[in-house]
Amino acid sequence: MVDIFHHLIHEHSDKENERYRRIHEKQWIIFIDKYIYVIAAMSITMTLPQIWDIWVIRNVSGISLASWLAYTVASVAWLVYGIGHKEKILIFTNAIWVFLDLMIVLGIILFR
């Protein structure tokens, strides 16, 4: 916070301002890189109750096959994109999403 006021009060050269901006951008990227796997795992975990309902309780009422097919197609597209760009987080999460989406689609088809 003090640093923000420092830059409001004192004028800096364009070179100093660019350096300051790059440092903060890099810190943001480092933060995101560290925690994105945790966020990805949390989002994947939110689908597990749906899988439990379908495969253990065998309740598929109110679950849209069309929606889960669309999610599957989107996950496959993101997986292919991640592989093409060698983005580990996209490969990691979307490989899991494709598997989970297919489990849900298969469960809907089998237990309807």
Side-chain angles (χ1 to χ4, degrees):
M1 192 72 153
V2 173
D3 211 27
I4 292 171
F5 293 120
H6 172 79
H7 283 278
L8 291 174
I9 296 169
H10 301 288
E11 289 197 26
H12 294 279
S13 70
D14 288 339
K15 188 175 181 179
E16 287 173 323
N17 285 334
E18 182 66 21
R19 182 183 159 279
Y20 181 79
R21 189 181 60 77
R22 284 186 187 172
I23 289 169
H24 288 281
E25 282 179 2
K26 186 172 179 154
Q27 287 174 346
W28 173 250
I29 291 168
I30 290 168
F31 174 81
I32 292 296
D33 285 347
K34 276 185 175 180
Y35 295 102
I36 198 68
Y37 286 93
V38 173
I39 294 166
M42 287 172 49
S43 68
I44 289 167
T45 303
M46 289 185 258
T47 304
L48 296 178
Q50 188 81 66
I51 291 173
W52 178 269
D53 282 348
I54 293 171
W55 285 95
V56 175
I57 300 174
R58 297 189 185 220
N59 177 15
V60 294
S61 62
I63 301 172
S64 169
L65 178 61
S67 293
W68 284 100
L69 283 170
Y71 294 143
T72 305
V73 169
S75 295
V76 169
W78 277 108
L79 178 60
V80 169
Y81 180 87
I83 291 168
H85 289 275
K86 297 181 176 128
E87 291 287 339
K88 291 179 186 175
I89 188 63
L90 293 177
I91 296 167
F92 170 75
T93 55
N94 286 290
I96 295 170
W97 274 118
V98 168
F99 175 74
L100 295 177
D101 292 345
L102 287 172
M103 283 188 62
I104 291 173
V105 166
L106 185 60
I108 293 170
I109 292 169
L110 290 175
F111 303 126
R112 240 189 205 170

